[in-house]
Amino acid sequence: MNKNFFVSVADLSKDDILRLMRKAESFEKEPNRNILAGKVCATLFFEPSTRTRLSFETAVNRLGGKVIGFSDAATTSSSKGETLKDTIKMVSNYADLIIMRHHLEGAARYAAEITDVPIINAGDGANQHPSQTMLDLYSVYKTQGRLENLVITMVGDLKYGRTVHSLIVGMSHFKPHFKFIAPEELRLPDIYRQFMDEHNLPYEEYVDFSEEVINQSDILYMTRVQRERFTDLMEYEKVKNVYILKNCMLAESKPNLRILHPLPRVNEIAYDVDDNPKAYYFEQAKNGVYARQAIISDVLGVG
Ligand code: CP
């Protein structure tokens, strides 16, 4: 792993991932440490966020660092026409670390090329969400006791869902068997099917969200249909409620099944699932603090 940025899961080796898992475990045991004393971390969110920004900021605060940044680019000089390049150069004058979410695919990689300040990708368009993958992997590990040889079923917006794209790459080191459930319009992009073929990863694709598939799964990874990525909202209307997980659909599921969702949810998980012990999405979001503490400490080479 290049210690100076955290842009894509594809940059991480299996050893990198396992090291980050061990670090996350350690931060969960002891989240308050003063290892970022004197460091300023910038959170630049050009796209909306609740969990990613607040868990990164919690991670920095718990590690003794200071946070600057913005959660709404409309309040910054980018609304006056300042380029991303100039914004990154400016913030590099102020901060020791830049955590950035942007609507353009490749924006974090671009930022990493124009500054020596470490960049963490907090989501770039429909491309990647690598810090989400670290908390997803940590959640899988915590709930299953292992990462290897699991049946991972991903449901919903597999076309635009960047968390799905990152998780496929992250899990690829651990011999997963994937099942994908999506309508034709939101099918997994070709490049990820090619990736799985190249890595000899077995997978099946379905259109029906059936209990038969749920019952074979160790992890059921639900996703929201990404309204903000559609250019034609009529197309969004057609697919927005295509799959809704209801508690009754889990009656025959495996005892170890856990339901993950990167959140926010809209309609794709009924509220009656929340009380099922197999629902893990709120704990998953909490794991984000520890996974992000691990990433920050690794990128900055502290702790
Ligand atoms: N999972 C996730 O990225 O959530 P936010 O958009 O709220 O950060």
Side-chain angles (χ1 to χ4, degrees):
M1 175 180 174
N2 184 326
K3 299 256 179 196
N4 276 335
F5 57 77
F6 187 84
V7 167
S8 168
V9 178
D11 298 330
L12 305 179
S13 66
K14 182 176 180 179
D15 283 349
D16 290 329
I17 291 173
L18 293 175
R19 184 183 65 254
L20 288 165
M21 296 295 101
R22 286 193 297 274
K23 279 194 165 199
E25 206 167 31
S26 152
F27 281 114
E28 180 165 8
K29 288 190 186 119
E30 191 189 347
N32 297 315
R33 304 181 196 181
N34 209 27
I35 58 176
L36 293 184
K39 301 263 189 233
V40 175
C41 302
T43 53
L44 312 185
F45 276 68
F46 294 86
E47 273 195 334
S49 168
T50 296
R51 277 147 294 274
T52 309
R53 185 174 66 83
L54 294 180
S55 61
F56 264 121
E57 294 187 358
T58 301
V60 172
N61 281 307
R62 289 201 180 279
L63 297 179
K66 296 220 172 351
V67 176
I68 60 168
F70 55 82
S71 57
D72 178 2
T75 65
T76 74
S77 287
S78 65
S79 67
K80 303 175 200 163
E82 186 161 54
T83 62
L84 177 61
K85 181 175 182 180
D86 286 0
T87 302
I88 294 297
K89 282 189 165 295
M90 283 305 102
V91 177
S92 300
N93 291 330
Y94 312 138
D96 302 293
L97 171 69
I98 296 175
I99 299 162
M100 186 180 95
R101 171 172 286 188
H102 201 280
H103 50 273
L104 289 179
E105 296 184 18
R109 179 78 65 197
Y110 175 67
E113 283 168 7
I114 59 179
T115 179
D116 292 331
V117 172
I119 298 282
I120 294 178
N121 182 5
D124 61 326
N127 184 33
Q128 289 270 318
H129 196 346
S131 69
Q132 178 73 42
T133 297
M134 288 307 113
L135 77 93
D136 290 345
L137 291 174
Y138 187 49
S139 299
V140 171
Y141 177 72
K142 276 178 70 177
T143 60
Q144 306 298 318
R146 68 187 203 278
L147 289 170
E148 289 82 6
N149 298 309
L150 294 168
V151 176
I152 313 273
T153 298
M154 298 185 170
V155 183
D157 188 345
L158 309 185
K159 179 178 181 184
Y160 297 117
R162 58 192 173 195
T163 67
V164 167
H165 304 160
S166 288
L167 189 55
I168 289 170
V169 179
M171 280 301 307
S172 67
H173 300 283
F174 304 102
K175 300 188 178 73
H177 186 133
F178 288 117
K179 294 176 183 290
F180 300 109
I181 303 177
E184 190 57 39
E185 299 90 329
L186 298 178
R187 199 177 165 206
L188 195 68
D190 285 345
I191 53 163
Y192 295 102
R193 285 202 296 276
Q194 283 163 13
F195 175 87
M196 289 183 291
D197 291 340
E198 284 162 16
H199 289 80
N200 295 315
L201 301 178
Y203 66 93
E204 292 95 38
E205 295 182 283
Y206 307 86
V207 173
D208 287 339
F209 186 23
S210 72
E211 287 167 45
E212 192 186 337
V213 176
I214 293 174
N215 295 347
Q216 296 169 41
S217 306
D218 300 304
I219 293 290
L220 185 60
Y221 194 91
M222 300 296 297
T223 65
R224 171 180 69 92
V225 177
Q226 310 262 304
R227 183 180 188 276
E228 64 275 27
R229 311 276 176 229
F230 282 75
T231 47
D232 179 351
L233 283 184
M234 293 294 282
E235 290 298 310
Y236 168 74
E237 290 296 324
K238 274 198 258 173
V239 290
K240 67 177 183 184
N241 289 325
V242 65
Y243 304 128
I244 300 177
L245 177 66
K246 300 188 177 94
N247 197 40
C248 60
M249 296 166 72
L250 300 168
E252 303 296 325
S253 60
K254 291 169 75 169
N256 64 306
L257 174 79
R258 290 296 177 273
I259 301 147
L260 271 55
H261 189 312
L263 304 177
R265 91 173 125 182
V266 185
N267 287 326
E268 57 281 355
I269 300 180
Y271 289 108
D272 68 357
V273 177
D274 293 359
D275 295 328
N276 189 314
K278 294 176 181 175
Y280 193 74
Y281 25 93
F282 294 119
E283 291 96 330
Q284 177 189 358
K286 185 177 180 188
N287 290 336
V289 173
Y290 316 124
R292 288 176 172 126
Q293 286 181 310
I295 294 165
I296 291 167
S297 85
D298 220 55
V299 165
L300 289 176
V302 295

